[in-house]
Amino acid sequence: MCRRDPLAMKSALVTGASSGIGREFVFALAKNVDLIYVVARRAERLQELQQQVEVPCVPLCFDLSLPSSIEKLGEKLKNDGADLSVLVNCAGFAKLGPFGQAGNLAMIDLNVRALVAVTELAVPFMHEGASIVQVASTAAFQPLPGMNVYAASKVFVLSYARALSRELAERGICVTALCPGWTKTEFLDIAQQGADKNTVHKMPFMTTPEFVVKCAMRAIKKRRGLCVPGLLNKAHFFFSKIIPSGTIMDIWELMR
Ligand SMILES: NC(=O)c1ccc[n+]([C@@H]2O[C@H](COP(=O)([O-])OP(=O)(O)OC[C@H]3O[C@@H](n4cnc5c(N)ncnc54)[C@H](OP(=O)(O)O)[C@@H]3O)[C@@H](O)[C@H]2O)c1
């Protein structure tokens, strides 16, 4: 039996909402919820989004790599008595570069630490039937030299999401690990900033955030634990299970 108050306002929380995949999620979710909390650092982007979305958006300008931001986010949900139907943990970034490049620890703080912290603070505000989308990547399917910390952070996200989906199943909360491949967003510009040409890879067959989110919304509706958008990425997932990771790393290193 669903214990949810039928008059309660359904809301969503989307991190990384100011651009790319997260922003696209906000537009898609606006058709399904009454209110969306949108989190990112760039206030002007969030305010712009607020004007463009047909349901009320609450802009929360937080740097999620800071523990103080996580605390403030928790307080906001508590003060509002939030009833979350959907959490999308999308904030993340990558850095391409040689061993020991700058930004590796900041990547762990955002891609791993903040994702776990936001999940743990959001779950108590979720009800039976709610959904969590943890944005991982095809980078989670094998180690990636030149992107070592990023790929490892996404292995964490994928593993965490899959285990969490079992843990939260008895509460009726569905957890989907979303594994997009290369997608046309600001992500690659940020990843390549400061990288030399030896670490920049060819990114063939890039998809769009619209396509990624369309696949993810379908996965949410079907309550699937894993969503790998696109045939090529599905083939990548399949072959990563049967081809030794050393061979996949060799292929990756040839793609320069
Ligand atoms: N694009 C791809 O090829 C691709 C492929 C696989 C997986 N992914 C994953 O998809 C997710 C979204 O990436 P995207 O492609 O949409 O990239 P994007 O356009 O660069 O979006 C990244 C989002 O994260 C937010 N963000 C970055 N640092 C933050 C911080 N410290 N605190 C709060 N928010 C922060 C950014 O907002 P502000 O800068 O305003 O803070 C932005 O909204 C990431 O987790 C990424 O790893 C991307």
Side-chain angles (χ1 to χ4, degrees), residues 16-22 39-42 62-65 90-93 110 135-138 150 154 180-183 185-188 190:
S18 64
S19 92
I21 298 170
V39 186
R41 292 165 302 177
R42 286 172 290 180
F62 293 142
D63 179 343
L64 289 173
S65 57
C90 201
F93 76 96
L110 183 65
V135 182
S137 167
T138 53
Y150 176 71
K154 293 300 178 177
W182 299 119
T183 308
T185 64
E186 295 169 15
F187 175 85
L188 279 175
I190 293 166

PDB file of all heavy atoms in Angstrom, residues 16-22 39-42 62-65 90-93 110 135-138 150 154 180-183 185-188 190, ligand 1:
ATOM      1  N   GLY A  16      23.660  19.654 -10.892  1.00  0.00           N
ATOM      2  CA  GLY A  16      24.269  19.859 -12.213  1.00  0.00           C
ATOM      3  C   GLY A  16      23.225  20.336 -13.213  1.00  0.00           C
ATOM      4  O   GLY A  16      23.277  20.001 -14.395  1.00  0.00           O
ATOM      5  N   ALA A  17      22.272  21.165 -12.708  1.00  0.00           N
ATOM      6  CA  ALA A  17      21.120  21.553 -13.527  1.00  0.00           C
ATOM      7  C   ALA A  17      21.413  22.734 -14.448  1.00  0.00           C
ATOM      8  O   ALA A  17      20.577  23.081 -15.274  1.00  0.00           O
ATOM      9  CB  ALA A  17      19.947  21.894 -12.610  1.00  0.00           C
ATOM     10  N   SER A  18      22.574  23.363 -14.319  1.00  0.00           N
ATOM     11  CA  SER A  18      22.805  24.596 -15.084  1.00  0.00           C
ATOM     12  C   SER A  18      23.226  24.339 -16.522  1.00  0.00           C
ATOM     13  O   SER A  18      23.267  25.265 -17.321  1.00  0.00           O
ATOM     14  CB  SER A  18      23.865  25.455 -14.382  1.00  0.00           C
ATOM     15  OG  SER A  18      25.104  24.772 -14.362  1.00  0.00           O
ATOM     16  N   SER A  19      23.559  23.087 -16.868  1.00  0.00           N
ATOM     17  CA  SER A  19      23.923  22.832 -18.266  1.00  0.00           C
ATOM     18  C   SER A  19      23.813  21.345 -18.605  1.00  0.00           C
ATOM     19  O   SER A  19      23.608  20.503 -17.718  1.00  0.00           O
ATOM     20  CB  SER A  19      25.332  23.367 -18.560  1.00  0.00           C
ATOM     21  OG  SER A  19      26.301  22.387 -18.354  1.00  0.00           O
ATOM     22  N   GLY A  20      23.929  21.063 -19.897  1.00  0.00           N
ATOM     23  CA  GLY A  20      24.047  19.689 -20.388  1.00  0.00           C
ATOM     24  C   GLY A  20      22.931  18.747 -19.975  1.00  0.00           C
ATOM     25  O   GLY A  20      21.743  19.060 -20.069  1.00  0.00           O
ATOM     26  N   ILE A  21      23.334  17.586 -19.505  1.00  0.00           N
ATOM     27  CA  ILE A  21      22.386  16.502 -19.208  1.00  0.00           C
ATOM     28  C   ILE A  21      21.452  16.891 -18.054  1.00  0.00           C
ATOM     29  O   ILE A  21      20.243  16.652 -18.109  1.00  0.00           O
ATOM     30  CB  ILE A  21      23.163  15.190 -18.905  1.00  0.00           C
ATOM     31  CG1 ILE A  21      23.983  14.766 -20.141  1.00  0.00           C
ATOM     32  CG2 ILE A  21      22.214  14.073 -18.491  1.00  0.00           C
ATOM     33  CD1 ILE A  21      24.979  13.633 -19.901  1.00  0.00           C
ATOM     34  N   GLY A  22      21.997  17.518 -17.017  1.00  0.00           N
ATOM     35  CA  GLY A  22      21.188  17.922 -15.860  1.00  0.00           C
ATOM     36  C   GLY A  22      20.097  18.909 -16.260  1.00  0.00           C
ATOM     37  O   GLY A  22      18.942  18.788 -15.850  1.00  0.00           O
ATOM     38  N   VAL A  39      20.200  22.565  -8.648  1.00  0.00           N
ATOM     39  CA  VAL A  39      21.446  22.866  -7.938  1.00  0.00           C
ATOM     40  C   VAL A  39      22.618  22.974  -8.918  1.00  0.00           C
ATOM     41  O   VAL A  39      22.795  22.116  -9.785  1.00  0.00           O
ATOM     42  CB  VAL A  39      21.782  21.760  -6.902  1.00  0.00           C
ATOM     43  CG1 VAL A  39      23.001  22.144  -6.060  1.00  0.00           C
ATOM     44  CG2 VAL A  39      20.592  21.452  -6.012  1.00  0.00           C
ATOM     45  N   ALA A  40      23.405  24.031  -8.769  1.00  0.00           N
ATOM     46  CA  ALA A  40      24.668  24.211  -9.510  1.00  0.00           C
ATOM     47  C   ALA A  40      25.324  25.474  -8.945  1.00  0.00           C
ATOM     48  O   ALA A  40      24.719  26.153  -8.102  1.00  0.00           O
ATOM     49  CB  ALA A  40      24.419  24.359 -11.006  1.00  0.00           C
ATOM     50  N   ARG A  41      26.521  25.806  -9.441  1.00  0.00           N
ATOM     51  CA  ARG A  41      27.189  27.002  -8.916  1.00  0.00           C
ATOM     52  C   ARG A  41      26.758  28.281  -9.624  1.00  0.00           C
ATOM     53  O   ARG A  41      26.733  29.339  -9.039  1.00  0.00           O
ATOM     54  CB  ARG A  41      28.717  26.863  -9.049  1.00  0.00           C
ATOM     55  CG  ARG A  41      29.317  25.789  -8.154  1.00  0.00           C
ATOM     56  CD  ARG A  41      30.711  25.450  -8.576  1.00  0.00           C
ATOM     57  NE  ARG A  41      30.720  25.005  -9.964  1.00  0.00           N
ATOM     58  CZ  ARG A  41      31.807  24.691 -10.661  1.00  0.00           C
ATOM     59  NH1 ARG A  41      32.998  24.788 -10.091  1.00  0.00           N
ATOM     60  NH2 ARG A  41      31.722  24.285 -11.912  1.00  0.00           N
ATOM     61  N   ARG A  42      26.422  28.208 -10.920  1.00  0.00           N
ATOM     62  CA  ARG A  42      26.166  29.436 -11.697  1.00  0.00           C
ATOM     63  C   ARG A  42      24.732  29.930 -11.524  1.00  0.00           C
ATOM     64  O   ARG A  42      23.796  29.414 -12.147  1.00  0.00           O
ATOM     65  CB  ARG A  42      26.478  29.188 -13.178  1.00  0.00           C
ATOM     66  CG  ARG A  42      27.981  29.135 -13.450  1.00  0.00           C
ATOM     67  CD  ARG A  42      28.285  28.696 -14.840  1.00  0.00           C
ATOM     68  NE  ARG A  42      27.967  27.290 -15.053  1.00  0.00           N
ATOM     69  CZ  ARG A  42      28.145  26.649 -16.216  1.00  0.00           C
ATOM     70  NH1 ARG A  42      28.625  27.302 -17.257  1.00  0.00           N
ATOM     71  NH2 ARG A  42      27.848  25.377 -16.325  1.00  0.00           N
ATOM     72  N   PHE A  62      24.904  26.233  -5.107  1.00  0.00           N
ATOM     73  CA  PHE A  62      25.830  25.595  -4.175  1.00  0.00           C
ATOM     74  C   PHE A  62      26.987  24.974  -4.926  1.00  0.00           C
ATOM     75  O   PHE A  62      26.790  24.353  -5.987  1.00  0.00           O
ATOM     76  CB  PHE A  62      25.130  24.468  -3.394  1.00  0.00           C
ATOM     77  CG  PHE A  62      24.056  24.922  -2.445  1.00  0.00           C
ATOM     78  CD1 PHE A  62      22.896  24.176  -2.292  1.00  0.00           C
ATOM     79  CD2 PHE A  62      24.213  26.072  -1.681  1.00  0.00           C
ATOM     80  CE1 PHE A  62      21.901  24.573  -1.405  1.00  0.00           C
ATOM     81  CE2 PHE A  62      23.221  26.483  -0.789  1.00  0.00           C
ATOM     82  CZ  PHE A  62      22.061  25.727  -0.659  1.00  0.00           C
ATOM     83  N   ASP A  63      28.177  25.088  -4.334  1.00  0.00           N
ATOM     84  CA  ASP A  63      29.323  24.307  -4.796  1.00  0.00           C
ATOM     85  C   ASP A  63      29.274  23.008  -4.004  1.00  0.00           C
ATOM     86  O   ASP A  63      29.617  22.979  -2.817  1.00  0.00           O
ATOM     87  CB  ASP A  63      30.627  25.073  -4.536  1.00  0.00           C
ATOM     88  CG  ASP A  63      31.842  24.275  -4.994  1.00  0.00           C
ATOM     89  OD1 ASP A  63      31.716  23.039  -5.200  1.00  0.00           O
ATOM     90  OD2 ASP A  63      32.912  24.874  -5.139  1.00  0.00           O
ATOM     91  N   LEU A  64      28.835  21.945  -4.643  1.00  0.00           N
ATOM     92  CA  LEU A  64      28.585  20.692  -3.921  1.00  0.00           C
ATOM     93  C   LEU A  64      29.849  20.008  -3.434  1.00  0.00           C
ATOM     94  O   LEU A  64      29.780  19.044  -2.675  1.00  0.00           O
ATOM     95  CB  LEU A  64      27.769  19.732  -4.798  1.00  0.00           C
ATOM     96  CG  LEU A  64      26.313  20.139  -5.020  1.00  0.00           C
ATOM     97  CD1 LEU A  64      25.662  19.198  -6.035  1.00  0.00           C
ATOM     98  CD2 LEU A  64      25.527  20.130  -3.720  1.00  0.00           C
ATOM     99  N   SER A  65      31.014  20.501  -3.884  1.00  0.00           N
ATOM    100  CA  SER A  65      32.238  19.888  -3.359  1.00  0.00           C
ATOM    101  C   SER A  65      32.538  20.393  -1.943  1.00  0.00           C
ATOM    102  O   SER A  65      33.443  19.891  -1.285  1.00  0.00           O
ATOM    103  CB  SER A  65      33.420  20.128  -4.303  1.00  0.00           C
ATOM    104  OG  SER A  65      33.586  21.493  -4.505  1.00  0.00           O
ATOM    105  N   CYS A  90      23.553  14.598 -11.071  1.00  0.00           N
ATOM    106  CA  CYS A  90      24.189  14.777 -12.378  1.00  0.00           C
ATOM    107  C   CYS A  90      25.463  15.618 -12.308  1.00  0.00           C
ATOM    108  O   CYS A  90      26.285  15.584 -13.224  1.00  0.00           O
ATOM    109  CB  CYS A  90      23.173  15.440 -13.312  1.00  0.00           C
ATOM    110  SG  CYS A  90      23.538  15.198 -15.035  1.00  0.00           S
ATOM    111  N   ALA A  91      25.639  16.403 -11.240  1.00  0.00           N
ATOM    112  CA  ALA A  91      26.829  17.274 -11.166  1.00  0.00           C
ATOM    113  C   ALA A  91      28.088  16.420 -11.238  1.00  0.00           C
ATOM    114  O   ALA A  91      28.208  15.416 -10.535  1.00  0.00           O
ATOM    115  CB  ALA A  91      26.811  18.064  -9.862  1.00  0.00           C
ATOM    116  N   GLY A  92      28.978  16.799 -12.115  1.00  0.00           N
ATOM    117  CA  GLY A  92      30.226  16.040 -12.245  1.00  0.00           C
ATOM    118  C   GLY A  92      31.106  16.683 -13.288  1.00  0.00           C
ATOM    119  O   GLY A  92      30.636  17.474 -14.108  1.00  0.00           O
ATOM    120  N   PHE A  93      32.384  16.374 -13.249  1.00  0.00           N
ATOM    121  CA  PHE A  93      33.277  16.858 -14.304  1.00  0.00           C
ATOM    122  C   PHE A  93      34.449  15.904 -14.453  1.00  0.00           C
ATOM    123  O   PHE A  93      34.674  15.020 -13.609  1.00  0.00           O
ATOM    124  CB  PHE A  93      33.747  18.298 -14.017  1.00  0.00           C
ATOM    125  CG  PHE A  93      34.809  18.430 -12.959  1.00  0.00           C
ATOM    126  CD1 PHE A  93      36.157  18.516 -13.303  1.00  0.00           C
ATOM    127  CD2 PHE A  93      34.472  18.469 -11.610  1.00  0.00           C
ATOM    128  CE1 PHE A  93      37.141  18.642 -12.323  1.00  0.00           C
ATOM    129  CE2 PHE A  93      35.441  18.596 -10.626  1.00  0.00           C
ATOM    130  CZ  PHE A  93      36.784  18.683 -10.988  1.00  0.00           C
ATOM    131  N   LEU A 110      33.513  15.971  -5.905  1.00  0.00           N
ATOM    132  CA  LEU A 110      32.209  16.206  -6.547  1.00  0.00           C
ATOM    133  C   LEU A 110      31.584  14.897  -7.054  1.00  0.00           C
ATOM    134  O   LEU A 110      30.445  14.562  -6.703  1.00  0.00           O
ATOM    135  CB  LEU A 110      32.353  17.199  -7.711  1.00  0.00           C
ATOM    136  CG  LEU A 110      31.034  17.563  -8.390  1.00  0.00           C
ATOM    137  CD1 LEU A 110      30.104  18.317  -7.433  1.00  0.00           C
ATOM    138  CD2 LEU A 110      31.255  18.396  -9.643  1.00  0.00           C
ATOM    139  N   VAL A 135      24.172   9.522 -12.200  1.00  0.00           N
ATOM    140  CA  VAL A 135      24.789   9.622 -13.525  1.00  0.00           C
ATOM    141  C   VAL A 135      26.236   9.115 -13.459  1.00  0.00           C
ATOM    142  O   VAL A 135      27.115   9.748 -12.872  1.00  0.00           O
ATOM    143  CB  VAL A 135      24.707  11.060 -14.078  1.00  0.00           C
ATOM    144  CG1 VAL A 135      25.322  11.111 -15.484  1.00  0.00           C
ATOM    145  CG2 VAL A 135      23.244  11.525 -14.127  1.00  0.00           C
ATOM    146  N   ALA A 136      26.419   7.928 -14.029  1.00  0.00           N
ATOM    147  CA  ALA A 136      27.760   7.338 -14.138  1.00  0.00           C
ATOM    148  C   ALA A 136      28.257   7.645 -15.541  1.00  0.00           C
ATOM    149  O   ALA A 136      28.127   8.785 -16.025  1.00  0.00           O
ATOM    150  CB  ALA A 136      27.691   5.841 -13.862  1.00  0.00           C
ATOM    151  N   SER A 137      28.790   6.664 -16.261  1.00  0.00           N
ATOM    152  CA  SER A 137      29.347   6.911 -17.599  1.00  0.00           C
ATOM    153  C   SER A 137      29.806   5.581 -18.183  1.00  0.00           C
ATOM    154  O   SER A 137      30.064   4.620 -17.437  1.00  0.00           O
ATOM    155  CB  SER A 137      30.547   7.844 -17.454  1.00  0.00           C
ATOM    156  OG  SER A 137      31.304   7.898 -18.642  1.00  0.00           O
ATOM    157  N   THR A 138      29.987   5.548 -19.518  1.00  0.00           N
ATOM    158  CA  THR A 138      30.633   4.375 -20.113  1.00  0.00           C
ATOM    159  C   THR A 138      32.097   4.312 -19.663  1.00  0.00           C
ATOM    160  O   THR A 138      32.738   3.270 -19.796  1.00  0.00           O
ATOM    161  CB  THR A 138      30.576   4.426 -21.662  1.00  0.00           C
ATOM    162  OG1 THR A 138      31.116   5.682 -22.094  1.00  0.00           O
ATOM    163  CG2 THR A 138      29.162   4.292 -22.183  1.00  0.00           C
ATOM    164  N   TYR A 150      38.856  10.190 -13.236  1.00  0.00           N
ATOM    165  CA  TYR A 150      37.460  10.324 -13.695  1.00  0.00           C
ATOM    166  C   TYR A 150      36.836   8.936 -13.884  1.00  0.00           C
ATOM    167  O   TYR A 150      35.754   8.652 -13.360  1.00  0.00           O
ATOM    168  CB  TYR A 150      37.380  11.116 -15.003  1.00  0.00           C
ATOM    169  CG  TYR A 150      35.963  11.182 -15.525  1.00  0.00           C
ATOM    170  CD1 TYR A 150      35.004  11.962 -14.884  1.00  0.00           C
ATOM    171  CD2 TYR A 150      35.561  10.433 -16.634  1.00  0.00           C
ATOM    172  CE1 TYR A 150      33.691  11.996 -15.338  1.00  0.00           C
ATOM    173  CE2 TYR A 150      34.253  10.472 -17.096  1.00  0.00           C
ATOM    174  CZ  TYR A 150      33.315  11.258 -16.437  1.00  0.00           C
ATOM    175  OH  TYR A 150      32.014  11.280 -16.883  1.00  0.00           O
ATOM    176  N   LYS A 154      33.678   7.059 -11.805  1.00  0.00           N
ATOM    177  CA  LYS A 154      32.438   6.560 -12.389  1.00  0.00           C
ATOM    178  C   LYS A 154      32.244   5.060 -12.111  1.00  0.00           C
ATOM    179  O   LYS A 154      31.116   4.577 -12.068  1.00  0.00           O
ATOM    180  CB  LYS A 154      32.391   6.876 -13.884  1.00  0.00           C
ATOM    181  CG  LYS A 154      32.300   8.383 -14.166  1.00  0.00           C
ATOM    182  CD  LYS A 154      31.052   9.010 -13.552  1.00  0.00           C
ATOM    183  CE  LYS A 154      30.953  10.503 -13.776  1.00  0.00           C
ATOM    184  NZ  LYS A 154      29.707  11.100 -13.239  1.00  0.00           N
ATOM    185  N   PRO A 180      25.898   7.293 -19.828  1.00  0.00           N
ATOM    186  CA  PRO A 180      25.996   7.843 -21.193  1.00  0.00           C
ATOM    187  C   PRO A 180      27.414   7.683 -21.728  1.00  0.00           C
ATOM    188  O   PRO A 180      28.379   7.601 -20.958  1.00  0.00           O
ATOM    189  CB  PRO A 180      25.693   9.344 -21.001  1.00  0.00           C
ATOM    190  CG  PRO A 180      25.428   9.554 -19.546  1.00  0.00           C
ATOM    191  CD  PRO A 180      25.891   8.345 -18.805  1.00  0.00           C
ATOM    192  N   GLY A 181      27.526   7.656 -23.065  1.00  0.00           N
ATOM    193  CA  GLY A 181      28.840   7.786 -23.707  1.00  0.00           C
ATOM    194  C   GLY A 181      29.058   9.258 -24.001  1.00  0.00           C
ATOM    195  O   GLY A 181      28.374  10.123 -23.444  1.00  0.00           O
ATOM    196  N   TRP A 182      29.995   9.568 -24.922  1.00  0.00           N
ATOM    197  CA  TRP A 182      30.290  10.976 -25.234  1.00  0.00           C
ATOM    198  C   TRP A 182      29.016  11.714 -25.618  1.00  0.00           C
ATOM    199  O   TRP A 182      28.280  11.279 -26.500  1.00  0.00           O
ATOM    200  CB  TRP A 182      31.285  11.082 -26.379  1.00  0.00           C
ATOM    201  CG  TRP A 182      32.610  10.450 -26.073  1.00  0.00           C
ATOM    202  CD1 TRP A 182      33.192   9.416 -26.748  1.00  0.00           C
ATOM    203  CD2 TRP A 182      33.534  10.820 -25.030  1.00  0.00           C
ATOM    204  NE1 TRP A 182      34.401   9.117 -26.175  1.00  0.00           N
ATOM    205  CE2 TRP A 182      34.634   9.948 -25.135  1.00  0.00           C
ATOM    206  CE3 TRP A 182      33.514  11.787 -24.034  1.00  0.00           C
ATOM    207  CZ2 TRP A 182      35.723  10.025 -24.260  1.00  0.00           C
ATOM    208  CZ3 TRP A 182      34.600  11.857 -23.160  1.00  0.00           C
ATOM    209  CH2 TRP A 182      35.679  10.993 -23.279  1.00  0.00           C
ATOM    210  N   THR A 183      28.776  12.832 -24.981  1.00  0.00           N
ATOM    211  CA  THR A 183      27.555  13.605 -25.190  1.00  0.00           C
ATOM    212  C   THR A 183      27.931  15.072 -25.392  1.00  0.00           C
ATOM    213  O   THR A 183      28.817  15.578 -24.689  1.00  0.00           O
ATOM    214  CB  THR A 183      26.631  13.449 -23.947  1.00  0.00           C
ATOM    215  OG1 THR A 183      26.472  12.048 -23.673  1.00  0.00           O
ATOM    216  CG2 THR A 183      25.273  14.061 -24.159  1.00  0.00           C
ATOM    217  N   THR A 185      27.956  18.393 -24.629  1.00  0.00           N
ATOM    218  CA  THR A 185      27.634  19.340 -23.548  1.00  0.00           C
ATOM    219  C   THR A 185      28.907  20.163 -23.295  1.00  0.00           C
ATOM    220  O   THR A 185      29.864  20.067 -24.061  1.00  0.00           O
ATOM    221  CB  THR A 185      27.267  18.592 -22.240  1.00  0.00           C
ATOM    222  OG1 THR A 185      28.437  17.867 -21.809  1.00  0.00           O
ATOM    223  CG2 THR A 185      26.128  17.608 -22.424  1.00  0.00           C
ATOM    224  N   GLU A 186      28.943  20.887 -22.180  1.00  0.00           N
ATOM    225  CA  GLU A 186      30.157  21.648 -21.847  1.00  0.00           C
ATOM    226  C   GLU A 186      31.240  20.747 -21.247  1.00  0.00           C
ATOM    227  O   GLU A 186      32.364  21.173 -21.007  1.00  0.00           O
ATOM    228  CB  GLU A 186      29.805  22.761 -20.840  1.00  0.00           C
ATOM    229  CG  GLU A 186      28.867  23.792 -21.428  1.00  0.00           C
ATOM    230  CD  GLU A 186      28.299  24.756 -20.397  1.00  0.00           C
ATOM    231  OE1 GLU A 186      28.830  24.833 -19.274  1.00  0.00           O
ATOM    232  OE2 GLU A 186      27.316  25.443 -20.728  1.00  0.00           O
ATOM    233  N   PHE A 187      30.861  19.511 -20.998  1.00  0.00           N
ATOM    234  CA  PHE A 187      31.724  18.540 -20.312  1.00  0.00           C
ATOM    235  C   PHE A 187      33.110  18.404 -20.965  1.00  0.00           C
ATOM    236  O   PHE A 187      34.135  18.453 -20.291  1.00  0.00           O
ATOM    237  CB  PHE A 187      30.986  17.201 -20.313  1.00  0.00           C
ATOM    238  CG  PHE A 187      31.743  16.035 -19.769  1.00  0.00           C
ATOM    239  CD1 PHE A 187      31.767  15.772 -18.412  1.00  0.00           C
ATOM    240  CD2 PHE A 187      32.410  15.162 -20.623  1.00  0.00           C
ATOM    241  CE1 PHE A 187      32.443  14.666 -17.910  1.00  0.00           C
ATOM    242  CE2 PHE A 187      33.093  14.064 -20.127  1.00  0.00           C
ATOM    243  CZ  PHE A 187      33.116  13.817 -18.764  1.00  0.00           C
ATOM    244  N   LEU A 188      33.122  18.237 -22.313  1.00  0.00           N
ATOM    245  CA  LEU A 188      34.404  17.981 -22.988  1.00  0.00           C
ATOM    246  C   LEU A 188      35.305  19.207 -22.990  1.00  0.00           C
ATOM    247  O   LEU A 188      36.527  19.084 -22.866  1.00  0.00           O
ATOM    248  CB  LEU A 188      34.161  17.484 -24.412  1.00  0.00           C
ATOM    249  CG  LEU A 188      33.839  15.993 -24.474  1.00  0.00           C
ATOM    250  CD1 LEU A 188      33.485  15.582 -25.879  1.00  0.00           C
ATOM    251  CD2 LEU A 188      35.019  15.162 -23.964  1.00  0.00           C
ATOM    252  N   ILE A 190      35.467  21.418 -20.678  1.00  0.00           N
ATOM    253  CA  ILE A 190      36.045  21.486 -19.325  1.00  0.00           C
ATOM    254  C   ILE A 190      37.108  20.389 -19.167  1.00  0.00           C
ATOM    255  O   ILE A 190      38.198  20.628 -18.657  1.00  0.00           O
ATOM    256  CB  ILE A 190      34.925  21.364 -18.262  1.00  0.00           C
ATOM    257  CG1 ILE A 190      34.033  22.606 -18.338  1.00  0.00           C
ATOM    258  CG2 ILE A 190      35.502  21.188 -16.848  1.00  0.00           C
ATOM    259  CD1 ILE A 190      32.705  22.491 -17.611  1.00  0.00           C
TER     260      ILE A 190
HETATM  261  N1  LIG B   1      29.105  14.796 -21.671  1.00  0.00           N
HETATM  262  C1  LIG B   1      29.614  13.567 -21.679  1.00  0.00           C
HETATM  263  O1  LIG B   1      30.274  13.138 -22.665  1.00  0.00           O
HETATM  264  C2  LIG B   1      29.343  12.645 -20.517  1.00  0.00           C
HETATM  265  C3  LIG B   1      29.489  11.262 -20.723  1.00  0.00           C
HETATM  266  C4  LIG B   1      29.242  10.400 -19.660  1.00  0.00           C
HETATM  267  C5  LIG B   1      28.869  10.900 -18.431  1.00  0.00           C
HETATM  268  N2  LIG B   1      28.743  12.237 -18.242  1.00  0.00           N
HETATM  269  C6  LIG B   1      28.367  12.697 -16.895  1.00  0.00           C
HETATM  270  O2  LIG B   1      27.174  13.453 -17.000  1.00  0.00           O
HETATM  271  C7  LIG B   1      27.110  14.382 -15.907  1.00  0.00           C
HETATM  272  C8  LIG B   1      26.710  15.732 -16.467  1.00  0.00           C
HETATM  273  O3  LIG B   1      27.702  16.174 -17.361  1.00  0.00           O
HETATM  274  P1  LIG B   1      27.363  17.066 -18.639  1.00  0.00           P
HETATM  275  O4  LIG B   1      27.854  16.320 -19.818  1.00  0.00           O
HETATM  276  O5  LIG B   1      25.981  17.530 -18.620  1.00  0.00           O
HETATM  277  O6  LIG B   1      28.416  18.250 -18.381  1.00  0.00           O
HETATM  278  P2  LIG B   1      28.233  19.802 -18.149  1.00  0.00           P
HETATM  279  O7  LIG B   1      27.417  20.395 -19.236  1.00  0.00           O
HETATM  280  O8  LIG B   1      29.601  20.334 -17.926  1.00  0.00           O
HETATM  281  O9  LIG B   1      27.395  19.874 -16.781  1.00  0.00           O
HETATM  282  C9  LIG B   1      27.993  19.657 -15.523  1.00  0.00           C
HETATM  283  C10 LIG B   1      27.088  20.224 -14.447  1.00  0.00           C
HETATM  284  O10 LIG B   1      27.698  20.006 -13.174  1.00  0.00           O
HETATM  285  C11 LIG B   1      27.676  21.238 -12.450  1.00  0.00           C
HETATM  286  N3  LIG B   1      28.794  21.317 -11.525  1.00  0.00           N
HETATM  287  C12 LIG B   1      30.120  21.244 -11.826  1.00  0.00           C
HETATM  288  N4  LIG B   1      30.853  21.424 -10.726  1.00  0.00           N
HETATM  289  C13 LIG B   1      29.972  21.619  -9.694  1.00  0.00           C
HETATM  290  C14 LIG B   1      30.113  21.860  -8.304  1.00  0.00           C
HETATM  291  N5  LIG B   1      31.325  21.925  -7.721  1.00  0.00           N
HETATM  292  N6  LIG B   1      28.995  22.017  -7.552  1.00  0.00           N
HETATM  293  C15 LIG B   1      27.765  21.957  -8.127  1.00  0.00           C
HETATM  294  N7  LIG B   1      27.576  21.714  -9.433  1.00  0.00           N
HETATM  295  C16 LIG B   1      28.656  21.561 -10.202  1.00  0.00           C
HETATM  296  C17 LIG B   1      27.774  22.319 -13.529  1.00  0.00           C
HETATM  297  O11 LIG B   1      27.238  23.536 -13.067  1.00  0.00           O
HETATM  298  P3  LIG B   1      28.070  24.812 -12.571  1.00  0.00           P
HETATM  299  O12 LIG B   1      29.313  24.895 -13.407  1.00  0.00           O
HETATM  300  O13 LIG B   1      27.107  25.935 -12.787  1.00  0.00           O
HETATM  301  O14 LIG B   1      28.339  24.553 -11.133  1.00  0.00           O
HETATM  302  C18 LIG B   1      26.871  21.719 -14.599  1.00  0.00           C
HETATM  303  O15 LIG B   1      25.540  22.043 -14.333  1.00  0.00           O
HETATM  304  C19 LIG B   1      28.482  14.352 -15.235  1.00  0.00           C
HETATM  305  O16 LIG B   1      28.388  13.596 -14.045  1.00  0.00           O
HETATM  306  C20 LIG B   1      29.366  13.642 -16.250  1.00  0.00           C
HETATM  307  O17 LIG B   1      30.413  12.933 -15.622  1.00  0.00           O
HETATM  308  C21 LIG B   1      28.965  13.135 -19.258  1.00  0.00           C
END
